Amino acid sequence: MCIILVRVIRSVVRHPIHFQTMATRQSSDIVKFKESLKAAKEIVILSGAGISAESGIPTFRGAGGYWRKYQASSLATPEAFRSSPSLVWEFYHYRREVAAQAQPNAGHIAIAKFEMKYGVEKKVTVITQNVDGLHERAGTKNLIELHGNLFKTRCTKCKEVLANTDIPICEALANRGAPDANIVGSDIPIKSLPHCKKENCSGLLRPHIIWFGESLEPAILEKAGEAMESCDVCLVVGTSSVVYPAAMFAPQAAQRGAIVAEFNIEPTPATPDFHYYFEGPCGKTLPVALSD
C-alpha cells in the first residue's frame, strides 16, 4: 500500500528492560522470552495475514492472489471502485461472507486471554493489518485496525463510517460474489448497491478499507506510533513485514531497544532484526508463549 508514515518512532530508551542487548539474534528460548514478557510494562502485538490464514481467510497473495480472473490487489483500489463499484462490491461481499463464517483460532484467543489477564497491570495493544474482525470477535479490546474493517462502510459523499454486519449488505448482492473464474464483470446497477441512509445524503457506500494508493488515517497511525514508541516488548505475529508502514514498526522498536519476538511459519526479511524467532503456526506457538 502506498502509505506515508506521518509519525517517526523516536529512538528513546524509556524503561530499564530496554537496556537488554541484542547480541543474541533469533533466539528460540521460550523461557527467556517469557521473562521479558513478564518484566514488560507495555506490550504491542502486531498481527498480519498469517494468523487469519489459519482461520481460513485467503491472503490473496502469490498463486492465491486471484478472485475470479482478477488479481485481488487490482480490485482494492479507488480507481477500481470508480470504474466498477458493483464488481468491487461483489468482491468485498465474498470477503465479508468468508470472514463471517470464519472463527477466531487459538492464536487470536491466546492474545485476547493475555490482554484480559494482564491488561490492568500492563498496557497491551494489538495492532493488526487484518480487516476480518477476528481479533475483536476473540475478545481483544485495545485494538488498532490499521487497514480498516470489512464490516464497516464509509459514505463516499458525507464520509460517515458505520459498522454493518448484514450478510448480504444489500439485496442485490445476495448470491453474488462467487469466485468463479468464468464470471466476468458485474451487472448490478449502481442504484441497487449499498447507499447511505443519512437524511439528505444517499451517497454510495464503499468498504471502510484502506486501499492501495490511499494513506492510513492520521489518527490511527498516530495511535499506532505512540504504542510502538513506548512498548517494552513487541510480538510480530503472522506478518510478512513487507507492507509499509507496518513493516518498519517492529524493526524500529528493536533498534531503540525494545525486545521483539517474531511468530511465523517461515523467516521474513525482518527476522534478522529481532531477538526471538518462533517458527510454526500462530495457533500453536502463541498459546505456549502467552501462557504462564
Side-chain angles (χ1 to χ4, degrees), residues 16-90:
I17 191 172
H18 292 171
F19 287 101
Q20 297 184 29
T21 65
M22 296 177 62
T24 302
R25 299 282 185 168
Q26 305 141 38
S27 168
S28 58
D29 190 329
I30 193 68
V31 175
K32 286 188 176 181
F33 170 69
K34 286 188 174 186
E35 290 174 356
S36 297
L37 201 60
K38 184 177 181 179
K41 296 298 183 184
E42 298 192 26
I43 299 162
V44 166
I45 300 171
L46 179 62
S47 75
I51 189 171
S52 290
E54 293 176 33
S55 289
I57 303 292
T59 62
F60 292 112
R61 293 176 183 168
Y66 285 83
W67 171 79
R68 295 181 179 172
K69 68 170 186 175
Y70 305 97
Q71 190 167 7
S73 59
S74 71
L75 297 176
T77 70
E79 294 77 17
F81 190 72
R82 285 194 293 268
S83 174
S84 181
S86 57
L87 180 64
V88 172
W89 260 119
E90 282 205 45

Side-chain angles (χ1 to χ4, degrees), residues 174-186:
N175 302 314
R176 295 290 192 126
D180 184 344
N182 295 315
I183 301 175
V184 179
S186 175

Side-chain angles (χ1 to χ4, degrees), residues 3-9 215-216 221-222 225 244-246 248-249 252:
I3 299 168
I4 300 172
L5 184 63
V6 297
R7 184 180 182 92
V8 178
I9 300 177
S215 297
L216 291 185
L221 191 52
E222 181 84 4
Y244 284 81
M248 65 190 296
F249 283 174
Q252 286 192 344

